[in-house]
Amino acid sequence: QVQLVESGGGLVQAGGSLRLSCAASGVPFSINAMGWYHQAPGKQRELVATITSGGDTNYADSVKGRFTISRDNAKNTVYLQMNSLKPEDTAVYYCHAPIDKYYSGTYYGNYWGQGTQVTVSS
């Protein structure tokens, strides 16, 4: 059974930093693309950043220059270093692994973590 387990959220003052982690278990191969999304109250879930196993990254304009996504391919773990946090970054942050692949006769689909709350106070 595939699970994405996030950690690292919390409460921080504006200008502070947090580091989120997401570990994928139950996947016997290196996941290609992984990423982070966030969802603020009353708003749709939005892309924050993605990274491929080759290290190609993509960021939302709102976080460029402040957030850095990285990963450990051997552990299928993705990280999000968030610096210079702003109150508008307050949201639930979700890890995402759109695997969509067959491996040894088993189909691995599209997976989300349970979410971790990030709150930035002004």
Side-chain angles (χ1 to χ4, degrees):
Q1 183 178 357
V2 177
Q3 284 188 313
L4 302 181
V5 179
E6 299 128 335
S7 61
L11 173 64
V12 65
Q13 288 188 331
S17 298
L18 285 173
R19 187 183 192 228
L20 306 183
S21 299
C22 169
S25 62
V27 181
F29 52 85
S30 180
I31 300 170
N32 183 25
M34 297 184 74
W36 291 95
Y37 285 69
H38 67 196
Q39 187 168 17
K43 295 189 177 181
Q44 289 188 330
R45 193 171 296 187
E46 298 177 333
L47 171 73
V48 176
T50 61
I51 186 168
T52 67
S53 56
D56 293 329
T57 58
N58 180 50
Y59 294 92
D61 287 343
S62 61
V63 306
K64 284 180 181 176
R66 300 188 298 122
F67 291 10
T68 302
I69 190 170
S70 60
R71 63 184 291 169
D72 183 332
N73 289 335
K75 296 180 180 179
N76 275 333
T77 298
V78 64
Y79 307 96
L80 186 68
Q81 178 67 43
M82 305 185 293
N83 298 329
S84 302
L85 281 160
K86 304 175 181 180
E88 50 263 44
D89 295 319
T90 295
V92 178
Y93 283 70
Y94 295 92
C95 179
H96 183 226
I99 301 175
D100 189 24
K101 172 179 176 176
Y102 279 95
Y103 184 86
S104 295
T106 298
Y107 176 71
Y108 295 84
N110 185 43
Y111 301 96
W112 292 91
Q114 80 284 358
T116 185
Q117 177 71 45
V118 171
T119 303
V120 185
S121 64
S122 57

Short mmCIF file of all heavy atoms in Angstrom, two decimals, residues 18-79:
data_model
loop_
_atom_site.label_atom_id
_atom_site.label_comp_id
_atom_site.label_asym_id
_atom_site.label_seq_id
_atom_site.Cartn_x
_atom_site.Cartn_y
_atom_site.Cartn_z
N LEU A 18 10.58 27.27 7.36
CA LEU A 18 10.15 25.92 7.70
C LEU A 18 10.64 24.96 6.63
O LEU A 18 10.81 25.37 5.48
CB LEU A 18 8.62 25.82 7.79
CG LEU A 18 7.91 26.40 9.01
CD1 LEU A 18 6.40 26.33 8.80
CD2 LEU A 18 8.30 25.66 10.27
N ARG A 19 10.83 23.71 7.01
CA ARG A 19 11.20 22.68 6.04
C ARG A 19 10.22 21.53 6.14
O ARG A 19 10.07 20.92 7.21
CB ARG A 19 12.61 22.17 6.31
CG ARG A 19 13.14 21.23 5.23
CD ARG A 19 14.50 20.71 5.59
NE ARG A 19 15.17 20.03 4.49
CZ ARG A 19 15.76 18.85 4.60
NH1 ARG A 19 15.77 18.23 5.77
NH2 ARG A 19 16.35 18.30 3.55
N LEU A 20 9.56 21.26 5.04
CA LEU A 20 8.62 20.15 4.97
C LEU A 20 9.30 18.93 4.37
O LEU A 20 10.15 19.06 3.49
CB LEU A 20 7.41 20.52 4.11
CG LEU A 20 6.65 21.79 4.47
CD1 LEU A 20 5.43 21.94 3.55
CD2 LEU A 20 6.23 21.79 5.93
N SER A 21 8.89 17.76 4.84
CA SER A 21 9.39 16.50 4.29
C SER A 21 8.20 15.62 3.93
O SER A 21 7.15 15.69 4.56
CB SER A 21 10.25 15.76 5.32
OG SER A 21 11.37 16.51 5.69
N CYS A 22 8.40 14.80 2.92
CA CYS A 22 7.36 13.84 2.51
C CYS A 22 8.05 12.55 2.08
O CYS A 22 8.83 12.55 1.13
CB CYS A 22 6.54 14.39 1.36
SG CYS A 22 5.44 13.18 0.58
N ALA A 23 7.76 11.49 2.81
CA ALA A 23 8.35 10.19 2.51
C ALA A 23 7.30 9.27 1.92
O ALA A 23 6.23 9.09 2.51
CB ALA A 23 8.93 9.57 3.77
N ALA A 24 7.60 8.70 0.76
CA ALA A 24 6.70 7.76 0.11
C ALA A 24 7.12 6.34 0.47
O ALA A 24 8.30 5.99 0.34
CB ALA A 24 6.73 7.94 -1.39
N SER A 25 6.16 5.55 0.92
CA SER A 25 6.44 4.15 1.23
C SER A 25 5.56 3.25 0.35
O SER A 25 4.54 3.69 -0.17
CB SER A 25 6.17 3.86 2.70
OG SER A 25 4.81 4.08 3.02
N GLY A 26 5.99 1.99 0.20
CA GLY A 26 5.21 1.05 -0.58
C GLY A 26 5.44 1.13 -2.07
O GLY A 26 4.68 0.54 -2.85
N VAL A 27 6.50 1.85 -2.50
CA VAL A 27 6.81 1.97 -3.93
C VAL A 27 8.19 1.37 -4.16
O VAL A 27 9.19 1.91 -3.67
CB VAL A 27 6.80 3.44 -4.38
CG1 VAL A 27 7.10 3.52 -5.87
CG2 VAL A 27 5.46 4.09 -4.07
N PRO A 28 8.28 0.26 -4.91
CA PRO A 28 9.55 -0.44 -5.06
C PRO A 28 10.44 0.08 -6.19
O PRO A 28 11.27 -0.66 -6.71
CB PRO A 28 9.11 -1.87 -5.34
CG PRO A 28 7.83 -1.72 -6.08
CD PRO A 28 7.16 -0.50 -5.48
N PHE A 29 10.27 1.31 -6.58
CA PHE A 29 11.10 1.91 -7.62
C PHE A 29 11.16 3.41 -7.34
O PHE A 29 10.41 3.94 -6.51
CB PHE A 29 10.50 1.64 -9.02
CG PHE A 29 9.05 2.03 -9.15
CD1 PHE A 29 8.67 3.32 -9.46
CD2 PHE A 29 8.05 1.07 -8.95
CE1 PHE A 29 7.33 3.67 -9.55
CE2 PHE A 29 6.71 1.40 -9.05
CZ PHE A 29 6.35 2.71 -9.36
N SER A 30 12.07 4.08 -8.05
CA SER A 30 12.21 5.51 -7.86
C SER A 30 11.07 6.24 -8.57
O SER A 30 10.88 6.09 -9.77
CB SER A 30 13.56 5.98 -8.40
OG SER A 30 13.71 7.38 -8.22
N ILE A 31 10.33 7.02 -7.81
CA ILE A 31 9.22 7.78 -8.37
C ILE A 31 9.76 8.91 -9.24
O ILE A 31 10.68 9.63 -8.81
CB ILE A 31 8.34 8.36 -7.25
CG1 ILE A 31 7.77 7.23 -6.39
CG2 ILE A 31 7.22 9.21 -7.82
CD1 ILE A 31 7.09 7.70 -5.13
N ASN A 32 9.21 9.09 -10.43
CA ASN A 32 9.73 10.13 -11.31
C ASN A 32 9.44 11.52 -10.75
O ASN A 32 10.33 12.20 -10.26
CB ASN A 32 9.16 9.99 -12.72
CG ASN A 32 9.75 11.03 -13.66
OD1 ASN A 32 10.85 11.54 -13.44
ND2 ASN A 32 9.02 11.37 -14.69
N ALA A 33 8.20 11.95 -10.83
CA ALA A 33 7.86 13.30 -10.41
C ALA A 33 7.19 13.29 -9.04
O ALA A 33 6.34 12.44 -8.76
CB ALA A 33 6.93 13.95 -11.42
N MET A 34 7.59 14.22 -8.20
CA MET A 34 6.94 14.45 -6.92
C MET A 34 6.79 15.95 -6.74
O MET A 34 7.53 16.74 -7.36
CB MET A 34 7.74 13.87 -5.76
CG MET A 34 7.90 12.35 -5.84
SD MET A 34 8.75 11.65 -4.41
CE MET A 34 7.47 11.76 -3.15
N GLY A 35 5.85 16.34 -5.89
CA GLY A 35 5.67 17.77 -5.74
C GLY A 35 4.88 18.15 -4.51
O GLY A 35 4.46 17.29 -3.73
N TRP A 36 4.74 19.44 -4.36
CA TRP A 36 3.99 20.03 -3.24
C TRP A 36 2.90 20.95 -3.80
O TRP A 36 3.14 21.71 -4.75
CB TRP A 36 4.91 20.85 -2.34
CG TRP A 36 5.88 20.03 -1.57
CD1 TRP A 36 7.17 19.74 -1.91
CD2 TRP A 36 5.65 19.39 -0.31
NE1 TRP A 36 7.75 18.95 -0.95
CE2 TRP A 36 6.84 18.73 0.05
CE3 TRP A 36 4.56 19.31 0.56
CZ2 TRP A 36 6.97 18.00 1.23
CZ3 TRP A 36 4.69 18.60 1.73
CH2 TRP A 36 5.88 17.95 2.06
N TYR A 37 1.74 20.88 -3.16
CA TYR A 37 0.62 21.78 -3.44
C TYR A 37 0.20 22.39 -2.12
O TYR A 37 0.51 21.86 -1.05
CB TYR A 37 -0.56 21.00 -4.04
CG TYR A 37 -0.36 20.59 -5.48
CD1 TYR A 37 0.58 19.63 -5.83
CD2 TYR A 37 -1.12 21.16 -6.49
CE1 TYR A 37 0.76 19.24 -7.15
CE2 TYR A 37 -0.95 20.79 -7.82
CZ TYR A 37 -0.01 19.82 -8.14
OH TYR A 37 0.17 19.46 -9.44
N HIS A 38 -0.51 23.50 -2.18
CA HIS A 38 -1.10 24.02 -0.96
C HIS A 38 -2.54 24.46 -1.21
O HIS A 38 -2.94 24.72 -2.35
CB HIS A 38 -0.26 25.15 -0.33
CG HIS A 38 -0.17 26.42 -1.13
ND1 HIS A 38 0.78 27.37 -0.89
CD2 HIS A 38 -0.90 26.91 -2.15
CE1 HIS A 38 0.62 28.38 -1.71
NE2 HIS A 38 -0.39 28.12 -2.51
N GLN A 39 -3.29 24.49 -0.10
CA GLN A 39 -4.69 24.87 -0.18
C GLN A 39 -5.03 25.74 1.02
O GLN A 39 -4.98 25.28 2.16
CB GLN A 39 -5.60 23.64 -0.21
CG GLN A 39 -7.07 23.97 -0.46
CD GLN A 39 -7.89 22.73 -0.77
OE1 GLN A 39 -7.48 21.60 -0.52
NE2 GLN A 39 -9.06 22.93 -1.35
N ALA A 40 -5.36 26.99 0.73
CA ALA A 40 -5.78 27.92 1.78
C ALA A 40 -7.29 27.79 1.98
O ALA A 40 -8.00 27.35 1.08
CB ALA A 40 -5.40 29.34 1.38
N PRO A 41 -7.79 28.19 3.14
CA PRO A 41 -9.22 28.09 3.40
C PRO A 41 -10.05 28.81 2.33
O PRO A 41 -9.78 29.96 1.99
CB PRO A 41 -9.38 28.77 4.76
CG PRO A 41 -8.06 28.59 5.42
CD PRO A 41 -7.05 28.69 4.31
N GLY A 42 -11.05 28.11 1.80
CA GLY A 42 -11.93 28.70 0.81
C GLY A 42 -11.34 28.80 -0.59
O GLY A 42 -11.98 29.36 -1.48
N LYS A 43 -10.14 28.27 -0.78
CA LYS A 43 -9.50 28.36 -2.09
C LYS A 43 -9.21 26.97 -2.64
O LYS A 43 -9.22 25.97 -1.93
CB LYS A 43 -8.21 29.16 -1.98
CG LYS A 43 -8.42 30.62 -1.61
CD LYS A 43 -7.13 31.40 -1.73
CE LYS A 43 -7.36 32.87 -1.44
NZ LYS A 43 -6.10 33.67 -1.58
N GLN A 44 -8.91 26.94 -3.95
CA GLN A 44 -8.58 25.66 -4.58
C GLN A 44 -7.13 25.27 -4.25
O GLN A 44 -6.30 26.12 -3.93
CB GLN A 44 -8.74 25.79 -6.09
CG GLN A 44 -10.18 25.91 -6.56
CD GLN A 44 -10.31 25.83 -8.07
OE1 GLN A 44 -9.40 26.23 -8.79
NE2 GLN A 44 -11.41 25.30 -8.55
N ARG A 45 -6.87 23.98 -4.37
CA ARG A 45 -5.51 23.49 -4.18
C ARG A 45 -4.65 23.98 -5.36
O ARG A 45 -5.06 23.89 -6.51
CB ARG A 45 -5.52 21.96 -4.12
CG ARG A 45 -4.23 21.35 -3.64
CD ARG A 45 -4.40 19.85 -3.40
NE ARG A 45 -5.34 19.58 -2.33
CZ ARG A 45 -5.57 18.37 -1.84
NH1 ARG A 45 -4.89 17.33 -2.29
NH2 ARG A 45 -6.45 18.19 -0.87
N GLU A 46 -3.47 24.48 -5.05
CA GLU A 46 -2.61 25.07 -6.07
C GLU A 46 -1.21 24.47 -6.02
O GLU A 46 -0.72 24.10 -4.95
CB GLU A 46 -2.48 26.59 -5.85
CG GLU A 46 -3.77 27.37 -5.96
CD GLU A 46 -3.56 28.84 -5.67
OE1 GLU A 46 -2.61 29.16 -4.91
OE2 GLU A 46 -4.33 29.66 -6.18
N LEU A 47 -0.58 24.42 -7.17
CA LEU A 47 0.78 23.94 -7.27
C LEU A 47 1.74 24.89 -6.55
O LEU A 47 1.64 26.11 -6.68
CB LEU A 47 1.19 23.84 -8.74
CG LEU A 47 2.66 23.55 -9.02
CD1 LEU A 47 2.98 22.12 -8.69
CD2 LEU A 47 3.00 23.87 -10.47
N VAL A 48 2.67 24.31 -5.78
CA VAL A 48 3.75 25.09 -5.19
C VAL A 48 5.05 24.81 -5.94
O VAL A 48 5.71 25.73 -6.42
CB VAL A 48 3.92 24.75 -3.69
CG1 VAL A 48 5.13 25.49 -3.12
CG2 VAL A 48 2.65 25.08 -2.92
N ALA A 49 5.40 23.53 -6.04
CA ALA A 49 6.66 23.17 -6.71
C ALA A 49 6.65 21.69 -7.05
O ALA A 49 6.01 20.90 -6.35
CB ALA A 49 7.86 23.49 -5.83
N THR A 50 7.37 21.35 -8.12
CA THR A 50 7.54 19.95 -8.49
C THR A 50 9.01 19.68 -8.80
O THR A 50 9.77 20.61 -9.11
CB THR A 50 6.70 19.57 -9.72
OG1 THR A 50 7.12 20.36 -10.84
CG2 THR A 50 5.21 19.78 -9.47
N ILE A 51 9.38 18.40 -8.73
CA ILE A 51 10.74 18.00 -9.04
C ILE A 51 10.71 16.60 -9.63
O ILE A 51 9.96 15.74 -9.18
CB ILE A 51 11.65 18.06 -7.79
CG1 ILE A 51 13.11 17.78 -8.17
CG2 ILE A 51 11.14 17.13 -6.69
CD1 ILE A 51 14.09 18.09 -7.04
N THR A 52 11.53 16.37 -10.66
CA THR A 52 11.65 15.04 -11.25
C THR A 52 12.83 14.31 -10.63
O THR A 52 13.67 14.91 -9.94
CB THR A 52 11.86 15.12 -12.76
OG1 THR A 52 13.15 15.70 -13.01
CG2 THR A 52 10.77 15.97 -13.42
N SER A 53 12.92 13.02 -10.92
CA SER A 53 14.04 12.24 -10.39
C SER A 53 15.36 12.72 -10.99
O SER A 53 16.42 12.51 -10.40
CB SER A 53 13.84 10.75 -10.68
OG SER A 53 13.68 10.54 -12.07
N GLY A 54 15.29 13.40 -12.13
CA GLY A 54 16.49 13.95 -12.75
C GLY A 54 16.86 15.31 -12.22
O GLY A 54 17.88 15.88 -12.60
N GLY A 55 16.01 15.86 -11.33
CA GLY A 55 16.33 17.13 -10.70
C GLY A 55 15.71 18.35 -11.35
O GLY A 55 15.97 19.48 -10.93
N ASP A 56 14.90 18.16 -12.38
CA ASP A 56 14.22 19.31 -13.00
C ASP A 56 13.14 19.82 -12.06
O ASP A 56 12.35 19.04 -11.54
CB ASP A 56 13.60 18.90 -14.34
CG ASP A 56 14.65 18.57 -15.37
OD1 ASP A 56 15.74 19.16 -15.34
OD2 ASP A 56 14.38 17.68 -16.21
N THR A 57 13.11 21.13 -11.87
CA THR A 57 12.17 21.72 -10.93
C THR A 57 11.25 22.73 -11.61
O THR A 57 11.57 23.28 -12.67
CB THR A 57 12.91 22.43 -9.79
OG1 THR A 57 13.77 23.45 -10.34
CG2 THR A 57 13.75 21.46 -8.97
N ASN A 58 10.12 22.95 -10.97
CA ASN A 58 9.14 23.92 -11.44
C ASN A 58 8.51 24.56 -10.20
O ASN A 58 8.20 23.85 -9.24
CB ASN A 58 8.06 23.23 -12.28
CG ASN A 58 7.02 24.20 -12.79
OD1 ASN A 58 7.36 25.24 -13.35
ND2 ASN A 58 5.75 23.89 -12.59
N TYR A 59 8.37 25.89 -10.22
CA TYR A 59 7.85 26.60 -9.06
C TYR A 59 6.70 27.52 -9.46
O TYR A 59 6.70 28.11 -10.55
CB TYR A 59 8.92 27.47 -8.41
CG TYR A 59 10.07 26.72 -7.80
CD1 TYR A 59 11.22 26.45 -8.51
CD2 TYR A 59 10.00 26.29 -6.47
CE1 TYR A 59 12.28 25.75 -7.94
CE2 TYR A 59 11.06 25.62 -5.88
CZ TYR A 59 12.19 25.34 -6.62
OH TYR A 59 13.23 24.66 -6.05
N ALA A 60 5.75 27.69 -8.55
CA ALA A 60 4.76 28.74 -8.71
C ALA A 60 5.47 30.09 -8.62
O ALA A 60 6.44 30.24 -7.87
CB ALA A 60 3.70 28.63 -7.63
N ASP A 61 4.99 31.07 -9.38
CA ASP A 61 5.62 32.38 -9.38
C ASP A 61 5.67 32.98 -7.97
O ASP A 61 6.62 33.68 -7.62
CB ASP A 61 4.86 33.33 -10.30
CG ASP A 61 5.08 33.01 -11.77
OD1 ASP A 61 6.04 32.29 -12.09
OD2 ASP A 61 4.28 33.47 -12.60
N SER A 62 4.66 32.68 -7.17
CA SER A 62 4.55 33.29 -5.84
C SER A 62 5.63 32.81 -4.87
O SER A 62 5.85 33.45 -3.84
CB SER A 62 3.17 33.00 -5.25
OG SER A 62 2.97 31.60 -5.12
N VAL A 63 6.29 31.71 -5.19
CA VAL A 63 7.30 31.18 -4.25
C VAL A 63 8.71 31.19 -4.83
O VAL A 63 9.66 30.85 -4.12
CB VAL A 63 6.94 29.75 -3.80
CG1 VAL A 63 5.53 29.71 -3.23
CG2 VAL A 63 7.11 28.73 -4.91
N LYS A 64 8.86 31.56 -6.08
CA LYS A 64 10.19 31.58 -6.70
C LYS A 64 11.13 32.49 -5.92
O LYS A 64 10.78 33.60 -5.55
CB LYS A 64 10.09 32.05 -8.15
CG LYS A 64 9.54 31.01 -9.10
CD LYS A 64 9.48 31.54 -10.53
CE LYS A 64 8.91 30.50 -11.47
NZ LYS A 64 8.75 31.02 -12.85
N GLY A 65 12.32 31.97 -5.67
CA GLY A 65 13.31 32.74 -4.92
C GLY A 65 13.19 32.61 -3.42
O GLY A 65 14.08 33.03 -2.68
N ARG A 66 12.09 32.03 -2.93
CA ARG A 66 11.90 31.85 -1.49
C ARG A 66 11.86 30.38 -1.09
O ARG A 66 12.32 30.01 -0.02
CB ARG A 66 10.59 32.52 -1.05
CG ARG A 66 10.52 34.00 -1.32
CD ARG A 66 9.28 34.64 -0.68
NE ARG A 66 8.04 34.11 -1.21
CZ ARG A 66 7.11 33.52 -0.45
NH1 ARG A 66 7.29 33.40 0.85
NH2 ARG A 66 6.00 33.07 -1.01
N PHE A 67 11.27 29.54 -1.93
CA PHE A 67 11.13 28.12 -1.64
C PHE A 67 12.08 27.31 -2.51
O PHE A 67 12.32 27.67 -3.67
CB PHE A 67 9.71 27.64 -1.91
CG PHE A 67 8.65 28.17 -0.98
CD1 PHE A 67 8.91 29.19 -0.07
CD2 PHE A 67 7.37 27.63 -1.02
CE1 PHE A 67 7.94 29.68 0.77
CE2 PHE A 67 6.38 28.10 -0.18
CZ PHE A 67 6.66 29.14 0.71
N THR A 68 12.57 26.20 -1.96
CA THR A 68 13.42 25.28 -2.72
C THR A 68 12.93 23.86 -2.52
O THR A 68 12.81 23.40 -1.37
CB THR A 68 14.88 25.39 -2.28
OG1 THR A 68 15.33 26.73 -2.44
CG2 THR A 68 15.76 24.45 -3.12
N ILE A 69 12.66 23.17 -3.62
CA ILE A 69 12.27 21.77 -3.56
C ILE A 69 13.48 20.91 -3.85
O ILE A 69 14.32 21.26 -4.71
CB ILE A 69 11.11 21.47 -4.55
CG1 ILE A 69 10.55 20.07 -4.30
CG2 ILE A 69 11.55 21.66 -6.00
CD1 ILE A 69 9.24 19.79 -5.05
N SER A 70 13.60 19.81 -3.13
CA SER A 70 14.71 18.88 -3.36
C SER A 70 14.20 17.47 -3.04
O SER A 70 13.09 17.30 -2.54
CB SER A 70 15.91 19.23 -2.48
OG SER A 70 15.57 19.17 -1.10
N ARG A 71 15.03 16.48 -3.33
CA ARG A 71 14.58 15.12 -3.06
C ARG A 71 15.74 14.17 -2.88
O ARG A 71 16.88 14.46 -3.29
CB ARG A 71 13.69 14.62 -4.20
CG ARG A 71 14.36 14.52 -5.55
CD ARG A 71 13.38 14.10 -6.63
NE ARG A 71 12.96 12.71 -6.45
CZ ARG A 71 11.95 12.15 -7.12
NH1 ARG A 71 11.25 12.87 -7.99
NH2 ARG A 71 11.64 10.88 -6.93
N ASP A 72 15.43 13.04 -2.26
CA ASP A 72 16.36 11.92 -2.11
C ASP A 72 15.74 10.77 -2.89
O ASP A 72 14.77 10.15 -2.42
CB ASP A 72 16.53 11.58 -0.63
CG ASP A 72 17.54 10.47 -0.39
OD1 ASP A 72 17.72 9.61 -1.30
OD2 ASP A 72 18.13 10.43 0.70
N ASN A 73 16.27 10.50 -4.08
CA ASN A 73 15.66 9.49 -4.94
C ASN A 73 15.68 8.10 -4.31
O ASN A 73 14.73 7.33 -4.45
CB ASN A 73 16.37 9.44 -6.29
CG ASN A 73 16.08 10.66 -7.13
OD1 ASN A 73 15.05 11.32 -6.97
ND2 ASN A 73 16.99 10.99 -8.03
N ALA A 74 16.75 7.78 -3.62
CA ALA A 74 16.88 6.45 -3.03
C ALA A 74 15.81 6.20 -1.97
O ALA A 74 15.40 5.06 -1.74
CB ALA A 74 18.26 6.29 -2.42
N LYS A 75 15.37 7.27 -1.32
CA LYS A 75 14.37 7.14 -0.26
C LYS A 75 12.98 7.56 -0.71
O LYS A 75 12.04 7.53 0.09
CB LYS A 75 14.78 8.01 0.94
CG LYS A 75 16.07 7.58 1.60
CD LYS A 75 16.39 8.49 2.78
CE LYS A 75 17.69 8.08 3.47
NZ LYS A 75 18.02 8.97 4.61
N ASN A 76 12.83 7.95 -1.98
CA ASN A 76 11.54 8.48 -2.45
C ASN A 76 11.00 9.53 -1.49
O ASN A 76 9.82 9.48 -1.08
CB ASN A 76 10.52 7.35 -2.66
CG ASN A 76 10.66 6.69 -4.03
OD1 ASN A 76 11.12 7.32 -4.99
ND2 ASN A 76 10.27 5.44 -4.12
N THR A 77 11.86 10.44 -1.11
CA THR A 77 11.50 11.50 -0.18
C THR A 77 11.72 12.85 -0.84
O THR A 77 12.74 13.06 -1.51
CB THR A 77 12.34 11.40 1.10
OG1 THR A 77 12.06 10.14 1.74
CG2 THR A 77 12.00 12.53 2.06
N VAL A 78 10.76 13.74 -0.66
CA VAL A 78 10.85 15.08 -1.23
C VAL A 78 10.77 16.09 -0.10
O VAL A 78 10.10 15.86 0.91
CB VAL A 78 9.75 15.31 -2.28
CG1 VAL A 78 8.35 15.25 -1.67
CG2 VAL A 78 9.95 16.61 -3.02
N TYR A 79 11.50 17.19 -0.26
CA TYR A 79 11.58 18.22 0.75
C TYR A 79 11.14 19.57 0.15
O TYR A 79 11.27 19.79 -1.05
CB TYR A 79 13.01 18.36 1.27
CG TYR A 79 13.60 17.06 1.75
CD1 TYR A 79 14.41 16.29 0.92
CD2 TYR A 79 13.37 16.60 3.04
CE1 TYR A 79 14.96 15.09 1.34
CE2 TYR A 79 13.92 15.40 3.48
CZ TYR A 79 14.70 14.65 2.62
OH TYR A 79 15.25 13.47 3.05
#
